[in-house]
Amino acid sequence: MIKAFSPNNLSCCHPPELQTLMKKSIAFSTFVILSLFTFQLRAQLVPRTVLLEEGTNWSCGPCASMNPGVEAFLHQHEGNVIHLAYHPNWPGADDPMYLNDKTDNQYRVATYYAISGVPSVAVDGSAPFVPGSQQEVESAYDARMGVGSPLAITVTREVNGTTVTVHVTLHPVQDLSSRTKLALRVAAAEEFVAGPGPNGEAQYIHPLRAMMPSYTGTKVHLSTGDTSFTFTYPLKTSYNASNMYEVAFVQDDASKEVLQAATDEQNFSLSPNPGESWVQRVSSQTSINFNLNNAFTSLRTFSVSYLPTSANVWPVTITAGTGSNGSFVVNAGASLPISVSVTQGAGTYSSGILQVTSTSGSETLVSSFPLKFISPDVKIAYVDIGNDSVRSANTVATLDALNFQWVPLSGGEAAAMNAWTATEFPEMVVAGNKWILTGEDKAGVANYLASGGHLFLQGGEIAFGLADPLSTDQDVSFLNNVLKASYVKDSAGPTIVHGVSADAVSNDFSDEAINIYAEDVDQPNQPDEIKPSGGSIPIFYYGQGANQVAGIRWQSGAIRLVYLSFGLQNLAPQDRAGITTDVFNWFHSESGVNGSSAMSFSLEPNYPNPFSMETRISYSLVSSEPIRISVVDTRGTEVAVLVDGVEETGPHSVSFNAHGLAHGTYFCVLRSAEGSAIRAMTIE
């Protein structure tokens, strides 16, 4: 089956020898696998500089349209990301940057990363993807910045006539002797080559000029001691010598992960102090401490600001060096501490961007860092693995409509705050829209379930990405042993799913067909057919029968897992809300997270249901406590409050009159200090 994102969709500029091979599917993969041990090593890591490698060409039309977004991203993260542009011989073999160094350019693009179309980028060695949006590149960058590096690198240069000597020193902070395929790669690059070329770009930024000694790099074996290297290369007459600089990076050729990168280009960087997380819980007040390093050879004047990015704006105070009008001076080679203090405000979270700006003449450089502050009371996390707001918007709206107290996290944010534990978030919804459950996200999911969490994973093609022979990131063991499912085939075929009679999660849909294409925001959507594995049971089927499994659930002690091989984002609002309600009701039933006792209340289905005018709602309390029972519509608007106060122990019931309300789906929500329960109701 040809997947939605075939190379023809990814980019239009392909090597001639691959034009006939475009029926092979390519699966996006975000980041290399990190072991669960990573979670225990954060204190031993150092701030990371991210390497963004790009395949491009001066005859590539899509490159001209997408590169401005890449440049805008680089502008926002000056000093924290290094960009290298490789120019292969397609679509234009006359590209002068390719002709300058044919072997290194072609190898890094076509052979090492198996890029089949430009533009395409790899972030710290990730599987290449098309930089179609700045947000997508930002997401990949954030995920890497959330994880420190096990080594630091220093790079210095000397120029003697037309020869440049480059000195590189590696400073491991962990024993890396178990990594047997590490390579140090050193590249010479130029700030830009003036255009325009055939595609009309005014300039071509950061083109590779030479690799030392070659694209294969230098094999290194690192434990904990410093290691130094020296390289040389000639300054050709075609180079602008004043624009040249060098980049060094250590890459694990077993996985392609870039462990760290550094450059001798004059710049400045902004990074959290070692051990500091840029995503934090806020109990009344908290601070995140940063370090601003001026690597220029002259003093620079900087200004610092905080830009809110969420609807909830909490009070923020920034403390930096001395200066007037919010500016401060940092000497050449010096650093300055910056502290961001936040006070908890309204809502479940607040987010923003710490931004440092330096202007010299006509040049303005910016370095920024995203920050997120979370209320201590939030127990539900919505982890958007791909940071794909368009595909996730419907699911997020459903969580709001159900009045859940939740916080959105990207995969990088979850890693940064060590959110993959049940003690941090007892319940978690993970959206894997497309085949992108890879790398540290897999380690996080495994860690979360092992800690006793309640995980609701949903999204089409997750199983494809983990098990299909066409996938570039197969991990059948993870699918079988962690997600408790096995892969049958891509694109199950039927457009509907139905539940299982008497099942704790899907009984409400046993006699109802759910249209999985009702709101097709994820076009084309090709959900997988799966089978139960490792003790899981089927809870949804495709089509009319009970042959093609569309979802499973699994329980072991306190651990609970629901995995749907279709995405919630494409369902009608009432189906999306109904499934989410039933999943969380199962999470809340019988036993809580980490073996805690049963909930102190229960909410029964209303009767009759559906109803035309009046229905009765029954509930029971184990102890006397304050509760609130309300009715909300699918937009989350509260249309009625039935109970609001202290209720005594025992069974209770209350009637609800729907006079004046439109036909459709509504939700009865019971809340107490311990949690909540939700039941779907239908007015005929």
Side-chain angles (χ1 to χ4, degrees), residues 11-14 55-57 60 62-63 86 88 90-91 109 115-120:
S11 50
C12 77
C13 304
H14 308 283
T56 185
N57 185 275
C60 167
C63 300
Y86 305 128
W90 33 265
V109 173
I115 291 173
S116 59
V118 293
S120 191

Side-chain angles (χ1 to χ4, degrees), residues 188-212:
E190 193 166 341
E191 278 289 339
F192 66 89
V193 171
N199 68 355
E201 287 189 78
Q203 60 181 18
Y204 301 93
I205 63 170
H206 310 146
L208 172 72
R209 288 313 208 175
M211 296 198 82
M212 297 163 267

Side-chain angles (χ1 to χ4, degrees), residues 238-250:
S238 59
Y239 300 168
N240 183 339
S242 63
N243 281 346
M244 296 297 295
Y245 64 96
E246 292 74 42
V247 175
F249 58 99
V250 173

Side-chain angles (χ1 to χ4, degrees), residues 213-536:
S214 69
Y215 59 78
T216 58
T218 303
K219 301 303 179 184
V220 294
H221 302 280
L222 304 177
S223 54
T224 56
D226 290 357
T227 308
S228 297
F229 304 85
T230 298
F231 304 90
T232 62
Y233 72 94
L235 286 173
K236 297 181 180 180
T237 56
S238 59
Y239 300 168
N240 183 339
S242 63
N243 281 346
M244 296 297 295
Y245 64 96
E246 292 74 42
V247 175
F249 58 99
V250 173
Q251 188 163 31
D252 189 337
D253 286 340
S255 60
K256 292 187 171 62
E257 178 192 11
V258 174
L259 277 63
Q260 183 66 291
T263 178
D264 54 27
E265 182 183 21
Q266 292 188 42
N267 221 314
F268 72 94
S269 62
L270 176 70
S271 59
N273 288 354
E276 295 263 1
S277 173
W278 45 280
V279 184
Q280 288 191 13
R281 295 273 192 178
V282 178
S283 181
S284 180
Q285 189 177 63
T286 192
S287 297
I288 302 178
N289 298 304
F290 287 79
N291 186 66
L292 174 66
N293 180 53
N294 178 17
F296 286 96
T297 56
S298 61
L299 62 78
R300 300 277 295 204
T301 300
F302 297 91
S303 61
V304 61
S305 59
Y306 178 79
L307 310 175
T309 56
S310 62
N312 302 315
V313 180
W314 295 355
V316 169
T317 301
I318 300 176
T319 304
T322 60
S324 60
N325 299 321
S327 64
F328 47 92
V329 175
V330 182
N331 289 326
S335 62
L336 186 80
I338 298 176
S339 179
V340 180
S341 298
V342 63
T343 301
Q344 183 183 354
T348 59
Y349 76 98
S350 181
S351 61
I353 296 174
L354 175 65
Q355 184 167 285
V356 175
T357 304
S358 179
T359 301
S360 178
S362 61
E363 178 188 55
T364 298
L365 302 178
V366 180
S367 185
S368 58
F369 223 97
L371 303 175
K372 181 166 285 185
F373 308 100
I374 303 171
S375 165
D377 301 323
V378 179
K379 303 301 181 185
I380 300 174
Y382 175 81
V383 182
D384 184 354
I385 297 297
N387 199 22
D388 187 347
S389 59
V390 174
R391 292 192 179 110
S392 295
N394 285 346
T395 308
V396 165
T398 295
L399 296 178
D400 285 335
L402 296 174
N403 282 331
F404 283 3
Q405 298 298 298
W406 64 282
V407 61
L409 297 174
S410 66
E413 290 172 337
M417 70 172 296
N418 200 13
W420 296 108
T421 62
T423 53
E424 189 68 54
F425 291 104
E427 294 162 339
M428 184 175 285
V429 181
V430 173
N433 307 317
K434 300 299 179 186
W435 50 99
I436 51 179
L437 188 64
T438 60
E440 188 169 52
D441 300 317
K442 288 194 297 186
V445 166
N447 190 75
Y448 182 73
L449 289 172
S451 70
H454 290 175
L455 177 66
F456 181 17
L457 171 67
Q458 49 84 24
E461 302 184 296
I462 293 173
F464 168 87
L466 293 170
D468 194 281
L470 292 178
S471 170
T472 59
D473 193 65
Q474 295 181 51
D475 194 339
V476 176
S477 176
F478 179 85
L479 177 64
N480 296 164
N481 299 322
V482 177
L483 301 187
K484 306 301 179 182
S486 59
Y487 175 67
V488 177
K489 69 175 183 179
D490 170 49
S491 189
T495 60
I496 63 170
V497 299
H498 65 88
V500 175
S501 178
D503 181 76
V505 170
S506 63
N507 176 67
D508 289 343
F509 298 93
S510 58
D511 296 322
E512 179 180 340
I514 302 171
N515 181 0
I516 58 176
Y517 295 95
E519 296 192 11
D520 203 357
V521 300
D522 189 4
Q523 172 65 36
N525 177 38
Q526 298 178 325
D528 300 317
E529 179 185 341
I530 60 175
K531 290 195 305 183
S533 175
S536 66

